[in-house]
C-alpha cells in the first residue's frame, strides 16, 4: 500500500455496519468505551474482520442494523494464536485459534478459523499487538506421559490479578489422570511463583 493510500485509510471511517456493531455494544452497556481500531475487508464482499478495543469481530456485509447487537466478540485474551499470511495485493488471510475454558484453569484450542481478506489495512499489526499485550508469561513444559502443556498468564480486562491457565498440546492428554495431575501441579507452581509473599 502506498503512503497516500495509508494516509487515506487512516482517516476513513469504518463501514456503517461496523460502526453499528460497536454502537450497539455501547447501548447495551457491554463496553461503553469500545472503539474500532482497524478493519479489513473479507473476500467476495462477505463483510469485515474488525479489531476493536474489546476484541476481534466478524461483521457480515448484509447485517441488518437492528441485528448489530448480535455480532459476537472474541476477546483478546481468548485468542490462542492469530497467524497472518500476506499476499502481494494488500490482502491475505488470518488463521485464528480461540481458546475455550473446559474447566477452571484449563483451556482447549477451538478449531482454527480462517478469514481471507482483500484489504487488510492496519489489521495485522493491531491484532498482533493486542494479542501479545494480553500475554504476561508463557512457557511450554513436558509431561511425564509424553507431550506437554503450555502454561500461560494473561491480563484480563477488569481483573487485577493475572489469569493463569494450562493448555494441553494434545487434548486427549486431558483425559489421562497422570497427565492431568502433572499439569495441575505445574500450574500451581507457576501461580505460586507469580504471587509475592
Amino acid at each position: 500500500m502506498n503512503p497516500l493510500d495509508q494516509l487515506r485509510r487512516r482517516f476513513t471511517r469504518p463501514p456503517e455496519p461496523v460502526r453499528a456493531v460497536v454502537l450497539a455494544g455501547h447501548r447495551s452497556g457491554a463496553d461503553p468505551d469500545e472503539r474500532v481500531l482497524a478493519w479489513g475487508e473479507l473476500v467476495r464482499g462477505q463483510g469485515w474482520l474488525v479489531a476493536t478495543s474489546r476484541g476481534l469481530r466478524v461483521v457480515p456485509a448484509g447485517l441488518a442494523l437492528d441485528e448489530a447487537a448480535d455480532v459476537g466478540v472474541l476477546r483478546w485474551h481468548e485468542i490462542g494464536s492469530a497467524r497472518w499470511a500476506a499476499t502481494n495485493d494488500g490482502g491475505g488471510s488470518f488463521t485464528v485459534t480461540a481458546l475455550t475454558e473446559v474447566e477452571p484453569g484449563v483451556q482447549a484450542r477451538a478449531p482454527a478459523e480462517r478469514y481471507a481478506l482483500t484489504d487488510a489495512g492496519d489489521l495485522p499489526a493491531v491484532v498482533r499487538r493486542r494479542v501479545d499485550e494480553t500475554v504476561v508469561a508463557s512457557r511450554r513444559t513436558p509431561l511425564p506421559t509424553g507431550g506437554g502443556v503450555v502454561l500461560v498468564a494473561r491480563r484480563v480486562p477488569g481483573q487485577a490479578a493475572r489469569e493463569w491457565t494450562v493448555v494441553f498440546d494434545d487434548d486427549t492428554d486431558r483425559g489421562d489422570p497422570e497427565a492431568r495431575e502433572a499439569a495441575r501441579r505445574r500450574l500451581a507452581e507457576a501461580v505460586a511463583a507469580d504471587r509475592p509473599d
Side-chain angles (χ1 to χ4, degrees), residues 56 74-82 96-99 127 131 154:
L56 205 54
L74 178 59
R75 310 245 340 232
W76 295 116
H77 65 278
E78 297 170 336
I79 298 175
S81 65
V96 178
T97 303
L99 297 172
V127 169
V131 172
R154 292 183 183 271

Side-chain angles (χ1 to χ4, degrees), residues 84-100:
W84 173 247
T87 56
N88 293 330
D89 59 1
S93 65
F94 262 114
T95 303
V96 178
T97 303
L99 297 172
T100 58

Side-chain angles (χ1 to χ4, degrees), residues 142-144 149 177-187:
L143 292 172
V149 293
E178 187 179 350
R180 288 172 59 87
E181 181 55 34
R184 286 194 182 285
R185 192 171 47 254
R186 296 213 170 95
L187 181 60

Side-chain angles (χ1 to χ4, degrees), residues 13-193:
R13 290 179 58 175
E16 181 63 27
V18 171
R19 291 195 312 269
V21 167
V22 173
L23 288 174
H26 292 179
R27 285 189 216 106
S28 72
D31 185 348
D33 298 322
E34 183 178 16
R35 65 193 189 292
V36 174
L37 304 175
W39 70 93
E41 188 174 342
L42 295 168
V43 297
R44 295 183 293 283
Q46 295 174 327
W48 302 270
L49 184 61
V50 183
T52 74
S53 52
R54 248 179 114 198
L56 205 54
R57 294 180 180 267
V58 179
V59 179
L63 179 71
L65 297 183
D66 61 339
E67 296 174 353
D70 298 335
V71 174
V73 62
L74 178 59
R75 310 245 340 232
W76 295 116
H77 65 278
E78 297 170 336
I79 298 175
S81 65
R83 291 188 171 81
W84 173 247
T87 56
N88 293 330
D89 59 1
S93 65
F94 262 114
T95 303
V96 178
T97 303
L99 297 172
T100 58
E101 187 172 63
V102 292
E103 61 185 86
V106 180
Q107 293 180 316
R109 292 175 187 89
E113 296 282 340
R114 185 175 174 274
Y115 303 99
L117 302 162
T118 58
D119 178 16
D122 295 334
L123 191 61
V126 170
V127 169
R128 168 54 105 201
R129 185 177 68 249
R130 286 290 171 150
V131 172
D132 286 351
E133 286 174 352
T134 68
V135 178
V136 178
S138 175
R139 69 174 174 257
R140 187 179 179 288
T141 184
L143 292 172
T145 57
V149 293
V150 178
L151 303 170
V152 183
R154 292 183 183 271
R155 289 182 187 91
V156 177
Q159 288 183 207
R162 302 171 189 191
E163 181 176 280
W164 279 91
T165 59
V166 62
V167 180
F168 285 83
D169 288 349
D170 184 348
D171 284 340
T172 59
D173 288 337
R174 280 199 329 262
D176 180 335
E178 187 179 350
R180 288 172 59 87
E181 181 55 34
R184 286 194 182 285
R185 192 171 47 254
R186 296 213 170 95
L187 181 60
E189 290 166 0
V191 170

